[in-house]
Amino acid sequence: MSQKERISEVALLRGLAFAAVVLQHSVAHYAVAQGARIQDGVLMTLLLLCSKFAVPVFVFITGMVLFYNYDGALKYGTFLRKRFMDIIVPYIIWSLLYELGNQLVQSGGHLHPLDFFQKLLNGKSSYHLWYIVMIIQCYVLFPVFRYAVRRLSALLPSTWRPAALAGVGVLYIMLMFAVGPMYRLMDGLQLPVVTSWFTIYADRNVIYFFFYLC
């Protein structure tokens, strides 16, 4: 990967997304504060809705930077090794610390290896680690996404690309209405692993986020 010119707008977008995350957690804290009135609840709900762009923006930044930096040859092994050191290793360390803290409070500090390994896979060591589980999937599947985008770009004339982009947006909106039926379908099928990934862990399923990435 060759060194590219820094995109200054990314820092601005990232700052806005960080501010939105802080706002979400602040609202969550004060929403249950003693003395909160119904009008406070309405205002905090509006603020929460206005800050919901944070995760899509973070995923969009990830995709934009990946496509920008890896526009040439991609060595998948090197690519994954870098992500492993930069993301997965810290994720494992923090998951272990959270799990030790949780077990210390709940059962005297006894760590159950099998339970911890399961939580590493689903991001349940702490509530906010769902994002890491989801973004790891984005990195693992990035070569697939990149290949698909390149193939479609090569097939579509430049004059058709705005219409194609608008079509993808319409498709995304249509698929939003399919989330509920998909949940009920998978819940009824009760397939090992698959059902859980579309029900209990749907919030960290990359299928629901790849539109922002690409």
Side-chain angles (χ1 to χ4, degrees), residues 113-125:
L114 186 60
D115 183 56
F116 175 63
F117 179 71
Q118 184 178 5
K119 288 180 178 178
L120 273 181
L121 296 178
N122 60 33
K124 284 290 188 178
S125 292

Side-chain angles (χ1 to χ4, degrees), residues 25 94 98 123 125-133 204:
H25 287 276
W94 279 105
Y98 282 124
S125 292
S126 186
Y127 70 95
H128 60 283
L129 293 178
W130 71 268
Y131 179 83
I132 305 299
V133 172
R204 61 210 69 193

Side-chain angles (χ1 to χ4, degrees), residues 23-24 27-28 43-53:
L23 178 58
Q24 288 180 31
V27 168
L43 177 59
M44 284 188 284
T45 300
L46 290 173
L47 290 173
L48 184 62
L49 290 173
C50 290
S51 64
K52 283 294 184 180
F53 67 88

Side-chain angles (χ1 to χ4, degrees), residues 64-84:
M64 182 174 67
V65 171
L66 285 176
F67 277 96
Y68 178 68
N69 287 331
Y70 292 93
D71 61 341
L74 175 63
K75 296 180 180 178
Y76 191 49
T78 304
F79 174 81
L80 284 185
R81 186 161 55 250
K82 176 173 172 53
R83 268 69 212 175
F84 181 83

